Amino acid sequence: MEWRDAEREYDDEVVGRTTLSRMFEESAARNANRPAQQYKGGVYDRSLAGTAISAAPDGEFRAISYAEMREVVRSLAAGFRDIGVELDDRVGIFAATRMEWAQCDFGLLAAGAVVTTVYRGSSPNQVAHLLGDPDASGVVVENTDLLETVVAVQDDLDLEFAVVLDDFGDDGAVADAEFDVLSLGDVYERGVEAFDEAEYESWLDARDPEDLATLIYTSGTTGTPKGVRLSHWNFRSNVNQCYKRFGPRPDKTDVPVISRESSTVSFLPLAHVFERLAGHYLMFASGATVAYAESPDTLREDFQAVGPTTGTSVPRVYEKIYDAIREQAESSPVSERLFEWATDVGRRYFEAESPSAALRAQRAVADKLVFRKVRDGLGGNVEFLISGGGSLSADLCALYHGMGLPILEGYGLTETSPVIAVNPPEAPKVGTIGPPVVDAEVRVDESMVGAAFDDADGDVGELLVKGPNVTDGYWELPEATEQAFDEEGWFRTGDIVEIRPDGYIEFRERAKELLVLSTGKNVAPGPIEDAFAASDVVEQCMVVGDGHKFVSAILVPNFETVRKRAESEGIDLPDDPKELCRDDRVKSWLDEEVERINERFEPYEQIKQYRLVPEEFTEDNDLLTPTMKKKRRNILDRFADEIDAIYDAEYGNES
């Protein structure tokens, strides 16, 4: 196909074989006067404010240019060297996604360090592992609260220093620390004094693209997190691969691109590989502007303030945004009917190969009355969004496309830096994760699936990958590294996919999450769970049934819409969520929804029984990872009694 040839042949000043540090320096030189970062005032007590940057007014965003960001990065690099960071030292970053996270990442890499990442919500035991396993010599923490977590496990670590992003006093955790504690402002000021450009250049020259850049630990959903070794070239090559797909190629005319004109709002954890590549390295290599959200809870107001052209997120966030859109539209019976009509029109318009004149006219009305307001709610400038980190409902994806907010679904893993495949803006295909990016070789191992996916037109099996973006293994785990690759050097993803005749890939299921019924049938839970993504009465679903005769589910109701429905029908529901989950009237509504969803699936895949539970799956209750994937083992343990009751009972869905 023409676009694929153009993608492969595309070359540009952004594309290159360099370290990440050199990549940033070159971009900063090209885009010196363009805005690099935007930060919000009143969110943090930044120790860099008043020195490296000026404080932004509360609730407002202020920008710094690439030249200003480069000055901060260079000074931090010199400051980190001045406090003792040496070549290949492992240094952790334990903070929320914010402007200083990005600056410290580039500063530490320029100083020659290896950055190891710690999720903001990590427990003391997790922090001990994520800093102790790589033998980190230092850690950058957000504030004294997180410093306390580090101090609590300091006997298990061998830290020489901690750097705190925010201003702090001298008591509490600071006094108890058995290592040096400095503010980021202190490091910056020491770096300003110590910086020598020739010496700085020598640090960059001393690093090779094949050198280790970072350790990113797997989410730990299936065991102890493993440190994935990612080199500068792993990430740099993936920047090249993604830029060839999304960059401003000459063959693109009316197709949206990622370029120096682009802007995004970053809010996913930078500790995770997806945001680190898509919302960080790719954006800064392209000369784009990255604004940092106050939190995932303020996305709507932050998007409106920034007006980004693109954004990256995970399926759960797109589900939440859709829920918020629907709830706002359904504030009255008239608007509820209008929203349902408009979304139906939008979906039909997107799916039609050649929309009729009548459908085009309906789409124009729906756009004027509904979709334009939705787009304005996200700042009014979004050209496309990218989804990764999990499977996105095809129905929900089509609906976003129909509203003029195309979501391009992609796929990757920590071990592949991460992007293996992603839908191209010029030829997206809903229900797929796109074709592989340039220089990523893929094939499937069909041995593990048998006849479980005999409905497929293409080749189905475990996805195997080769490419410059693929890790060489896990930190000090030779056996795990050996098991991750086959005899020919192909990395085993552990995911079952279909490689279609058109070259696009369909994600089918995590191999470890396939349910094997006692009847011998294999069931993929993901598509069933995804089918509830746009449900107005089901907030979350987890399908179970491994080793049993039939499929069942744990359902979390959407309490807000269930209560609104009850109110509109003159029904008084119990205030207690547990009692609501036992209410026969609520159960009847859920019965209808499950029956509707079941119509899409084969009889052996259909949910025969379910239990309603009052507790949403979240990161706080340890039922979701920081990137909002279900921790299935934890959910099974949490609701073991409900699941046992399903399979102990012969009839009914009663709680």
Side-chain angles (χ1 to χ4, degrees):
M1 294 177 63
E2 184 178 350
W3 68 265
R4 299 188 206 226
D5 294 336
E7 178 180 273
R8 181 166 295 281
E9 296 170 5
Y10 182 51
D11 197 12
D12 183 270
E13 57 192 358
V14 173
V15 177
R17 182 180 172 83
T18 64
T19 63
L20 295 169
S21 304
R22 186 63 71 187
M23 178 190 76
F24 172 74
E25 280 286 326
E26 292 174 352
S27 180
R30 291 193 301 269
N31 302 290
N33 297 320
R34 298 193 61 81
Q37 295 179 297
Q38 287 184 282
Y39 57 101
K40 192 176 183 180
V43 180
Y44 302 109
D45 190 13
R46 307 175 193 272
S47 64
L48 287 182
T51 53
I53 61 170
S54 57
D58 286 1
E60 296 182 18
F61 281 88
R62 176 165 287 176
I64 65 171
S65 68
Y66 270 88
E68 292 169 321
M69 182 181 176
R70 178 176 57 187
E71 192 274 332
V72 174
V73 167
R74 288 179 166 187
S75 296
L76 290 179
F80 281 123
R81 280 277 182 143
D82 194 57
I83 65 173
V85 173
E86 297 180 352
L87 204 65
D88 289 322
D89 280 357
R90 274 78 63 200
V91 179
I93 301 183
F94 182 19
T97 294
R98 53 188 284 186
M99 172 180 67
E100 293 92 339
W101 205 114
Q103 295 165 347
C104 286
D105 185 39
F106 282 120
L108 285 165
L109 291 174
V114 174
V115 174
T116 182
T117 62
V118 184
Y119 285 109
R120 173 68 171 75
S122 296
S123 68
N125 285 341
Q126 291 168 332
V127 170
H129 177 69
L130 297 175
L131 295 177
D133 185 65
D135 192 24
S137 61
V139 62
V140 176
V141 299
E142 183 162 317
N143 50 36
T144 51
D145 288 342
L146 298 193
L147 181 64
E148 276 185 24
T149 304
V150 175
V151 169
V153 296
Q154 63 184 346
D155 291 345
D156 300 323
L157 305 174
D158 191 21
L159 295 177
E160 298 171 8
F161 68 85
V163 173
V164 186
L165 301 184
D166 290 343
D167 280 327
F168 60 89
D170 294 328
D171 54 357
V174 177
D176 294 336
E178 297 173 359
F179 43 80
D180 293 336
V181 180
L182 307 90
S183 74
L184 189 64
D186 294 333
V187 176
Y188 171 80
E189 290 177 353
R190 288 173 67 158
V192 169
E193 291 294 321
F195 180 77
D196 176 88
E197 187 165 359
E199 187 176 19
Y200 176 79
E201 285 292 324
S202 74
W203 300 340
L204 300 193
D205 290 340
R207 302 304 276 167
D208 185 87
E210 299 293 347
D211 288 341
L212 185 63
T214 192
L215 294 173
I216 299 181
Y217 281 75
T218 57
S219 60
T221 56
T222 57
T224 303
K226 300 186 292 288
V228 180
R229 297 192 301 248
L230 295 175
S231 68
H232 286 263
W233 179 234
N234 287 147
F235 267 128
R236 185 68 175 96
S237 65
N238 207 225
V239 168
N240 294 344
Q241 291 167 318
C242 293
Y243 193 74
K244 283 173 175 283
R245 181 143 299 175
F246 294 110
R249 300 195 314 261
D251 61 297
K252 295 187 178 185
T253 52
D254 296 329
V255 179
V257 300
I258 291 176
S259 70
R260 58 168 54 102
E261 306 296 332
S262 300
S263 58
T264 189
V265 174
S266 181
F267 62 93
L268 291 179
L270 276 166
H272 187 263
V273 70
F274 179 36
E275 188 68 9
R276 189 91 167 276
L277 184 283
H280 180 59
Y281 293 136
L282 176 61
M283 292 297 159
F284 289 121
S286 304
T289 304
V290 180
Y292 298 90
E294 178 178 342
S295 78
D297 297 328
T298 63
L299 287 183
R300 192 172 180 85
E301 66 181 65
D302 292 340
F303 266 71
Q304 288 178 332
V306 173
T309 62
T310 189
T312 57
S313 193
V314 293
R316 182 66 181 144
V317 171
Y318 292 124
E319 292 169 12
K320 286 282 195 181
I321 291 173
Y322 173 71
D323 287 344
I325 293 168
R326 184 185 59 221
E327 288 167 12
Q328 184 178 15
E330 293 178 354
S331 57
S332 72
V334 174
S335 60
E336 179 178 353
R337 290 195 296 271
L338 175 61
F339 182 74
E340 290 176 353
W341 171 82
T343 53
D344 178 64
V345 167
R347 188 182 286 109
R348 287 191 288 115
Y349 179 85
F350 173 72
E351 293 173 349
E353 289 188 15
S354 180
S356 65
L359 185 54
R360 291 198 301 271
Q362 289 177 330
R363 171 61 169 73
V365 173
D367 189 73
K368 181 178 180 180
L369 298 179
V370 177
F371 301 154
R372 191 176 301 169
K373 295 177 182 177
V374 173
R375 295 195 298 273
D376 288 345
L378 294 178
N381 299 319
V382 172
E383 298 172 342
F384 67 91
L385 301 163
I386 297 173
S387 180
S391 179
L392 179 67
S393 158
D395 283 349
L396 192 63
C397 188
L399 194 149
Y400 269 92
H401 276 272
M403 292 191 294
L405 290 167
I407 296 179
L408 306 177
E409 191 173 6
Y411 166 85
L413 300 93
T414 305
E415 292 89 342
T416 58
S417 310
V419 183
I420 295 171
V422 62
N423 272 279
E426 55 266 72
K429 296 188 179 182
V430 170
T432 79
I433 52 176
V437 291
V438 171
D439 295 331
E441 300 178 66
V442 299
R443 73 179 193 188
V444 295
D445 177 358
E446 300 177 355
S447 63
M448 61 161 39
V449 297
F453 300 98
D454 53 10
D455 62 326
D457 294 326
D459 299 327
V460 179
E462 182 187 7
L463 181 64
L464 308 181
V465 187
K466 280 186 178 182
N469 53 317
V470 178
T471 180
D472 68 356
Y474 302 104
W475 177 257
E476 296 186 344
L477 292 172
E479 290 184 6
T481 297
E482 184 177 357
Q483 293 170 4
F485 294 86
D486 73 4
E487 294 177 354
E488 299 177 20
W490 292 83
F491 175 74
R492 294 187 171 278
T493 66
D495 290 325
I496 297 172
V497 304
E498 175 188 351
I499 300 179
R500 306 188 333 177
D502 61 7
Y504 282 65
I505 302 173
E506 285 189 30
F507 180 87
R508 290 303 191 106
E509 192 54 81
R510 288 285 297 168
K512 294 178 180 178
E513 292 172 6
L514 266 182
L515 306 179
V516 182
L517 304 184
S518 61
T519 61
K521 292 286 189 180
N522 288 357
V523 176
I528 304 171
E529 294 167 359
D530 289 345
F532 287 94
S535 170
D536 61 343
V537 292
V538 175
E539 182 68 20
Q540 290 170 303
C541 167
M542 194 181 92
V543 171
V544 298
D546 196 47
H548 296 285
K549 289 183 179 180
F550 58 87
V551 170
S552 61
I554 294 296
L555 300 179
V556 180
N558 185 318
F559 290 101
E560 186 169 352
T561 56
V562 165
R563 292 190 185 281
K564 284 183 179 178
R565 181 169 177 175
E567 184 179 349
S568 70
E569 297 184 16
I571 296 172
D572 290 328
L573 291 178
D575 292 333
D576 183 359
K578 291 182 180 179
E579 293 299 321
L580 183 147
C581 288
R582 297 189 181 101
D583 191 282
D584 287 340
R585 295 159 297 186
V586 173
K587 175 186 169 297
S588 68
W589 298 336
L590 271 293
D591 285 346
E592 293 173 1
E593 188 71 349
V594 170
E595 185 176 346
R596 182 182 70 83
I597 296 299
N598 276 342
E599 292 175 356
R600 307 183 187 189
F601 298 97
E602 296 297 321
Y604 68 89
E605 298 174 306
Q606 294 174 356
I607 296 171
K608 299 299 191 292
Q609 296 189 38
Y610 65 87
R611 287 294 184 275
L612 292 182
V613 297
E615 184 179 12
E616 185 177 346
F617 314 152
T618 68
E619 184 184 355
D620 289 339
N621 62 19
D622 203 30
L623 300 182
L624 292 182
T625 70
T627 51
M628 302 185 191
K629 295 178 184 175
K630 296 183 185 78
K631 289 189 172 181
R632 293 183 179 271
R633 173 48 57 191
N634 291 13
I635 295 171
L636 289 171
D637 291 343
R638 182 71 55 88
F639 303 110
D641 290 345
E642 288 82 356
I643 295 168
D644 288 345
I646 288 174
Y647 290 107
D648 287 343
E650 291 186 50
Y651 306 105
N653 295 327
E654 61 272 17
S655 298

